[in-house]
Amino acid sequence: MDGPLAGGNMNSVERKGDTVLRTAGPWTPTVHRYLRYIARNGIDWAPEPLGIDDDREVLSYLHGTVPVYPLPAWVWEDSVLVDGARMLRRLHDASVGFAVDTATWQSSAKVPAEVICHNDFAPHNLAFNDEGRILGAIDFDMCSPGPRIWDLAYFATRACPLTASPPEGAPGPDDARRRIELILAEYGSDASWLDVVRVAVTRLFDLAEFSIVKADELFKPQLRAEAVAYERDARYLAGWL
């Protein structure tokens, strides 16, 4: 069905037939070049860039169910952690060798720049089939170079979840270590679960600062409230270290 799509608190997203139109920016040509690059390297479950129409980018529509908040109970199944971790590994590996010398990014690059990070790889940016299995990922406009664990930590933060106030029906902190270690095992990472928590703290503080900037830039004061929540969760997780 054509019309605005739910989610996306920092962008205007509209479906038109089998395409998606999103607000473009100076980073859009880089993101499109990156999407074409990973497609050549075997990623057939990300949107295809179709061009830029005035101030909007045009992408192929990825069919499937993208969950919105409050997240449905099936999002907390272990299979989501397994599928997500495996797909994230494939996504990262497919980005190796991407030329960044003339690239412009919306998100700042991080060190070490091992791969191109999605920077928002979480259930709300994943498309699922009717059985709750992941079909693909969307919303690549925030991608930029960074360490693999940067994406792993954010995926864990959203999918485990790692928060001071888990939503109703979500696993609690007593299951966090097992769920993080499941992500790491399926990804093939030698990081520890505490490494993930440490980076998650940094990631949340970074996201809070970014949200404050965007609140002023986009005239969306509600993003300041989100920044407060990110800082709260960062301080909570810091207590685990």
Side-chain angles (χ1 to χ4, degrees), residues 88-183:
L88 189 57
R89 179 59 187 256
R90 289 179 58 198
L91 185 65
H92 285 168
D93 288 352
S95 75
V96 172
F98 180 73
V100 299
D101 48 335
T102 61
T104 298
W105 310 100
Q106 181 173 194
S107 295
S108 58
K110 309 295 180 182
V111 294
E114 298 173 326
V115 294
I116 304 301
C117 290
H118 182 285
N119 284 326
D120 201 3
F121 194 89
H124 59 259
N125 279 330
L126 298 173
F128 294 80
N129 65 17
D130 292 339
E131 286 74 47
R133 307 309 295 257
I134 303 175
L135 297 172
I138 62 172
D139 285 6
F140 284 81
D141 59 310
M142 300 299 296
C143 67
S144 67
R148 294 173 183 266
I149 198 171
W150 190 253
D151 265 352
L152 282 167
Y154 188 69
F155 179 55
T157 298
R158 292 297 197 181
C160 284
L162 306 179
T163 175
S165 302
E168 184 176 354
D174 56 323
D175 200 23
R177 176 173 180 171
R178 182 192 69 84
R179 290 172 69 81
I180 294 171
E181 289 179 340
L182 178 58
I183 291 173

Side-chain angles (χ1 to χ4, degrees), residues 220-235:
K220 293 186 174 183
Q222 67 270 24
L223 293 177
R224 288 186 173 274
E226 294 185 12
V228 171
Y230 296 143
E231 290 185 357
R232 176 203 63 200
D233 285 342
R235 294 190 180 93

Side-chain angles (χ1 to χ4, degrees), residues 15-123:
R15 179 180 177 182
K16 188 175 182 180
D18 282 332
T19 65
V20 172
L21 289 80
R22 298 168 49 97
T23 304
W27 54 85
T28 302
T30 294
V31 175
H32 284 198
R33 183 164 60 87
Y34 159 75
L35 288 171
R36 288 190 290 269
Y37 184 87
I38 61 174
R40 291 197 298 270
N41 286 332
I43 302 300
D44 58 2
W45 39 261
E48 177 187 357
L50 302 175
I52 300 176
D53 183 9
D54 291 330
D55 62 345
R56 297 197 293 181
E57 63 173 330
V58 184
L59 304 159
S60 63
Y61 177 77
L62 194 64
H63 290 271
T65 299
V66 178
V68 297
Y69 292 92
L71 296 174
W74 52 263
V75 163
W76 311 117
E77 295 291 333
D78 279 5
S79 59
V80 173
L81 304 180
V82 171
D83 289 350
R86 291 175 178 176
M87 293 182 77
L88 189 57
R89 179 59 187 256
R90 289 179 58 198
L91 185 65
H92 285 168
D93 288 352
S95 75
V96 172
F98 180 73
V100 299
D101 48 335
T102 61
T104 298
W105 310 100
Q106 181 173 194
S107 295
S108 58
K110 309 295 180 182
V111 294
E114 298 173 326
V115 294
I116 304 301
C117 290
H118 182 285
N119 284 326
D120 201 3
F121 194 89

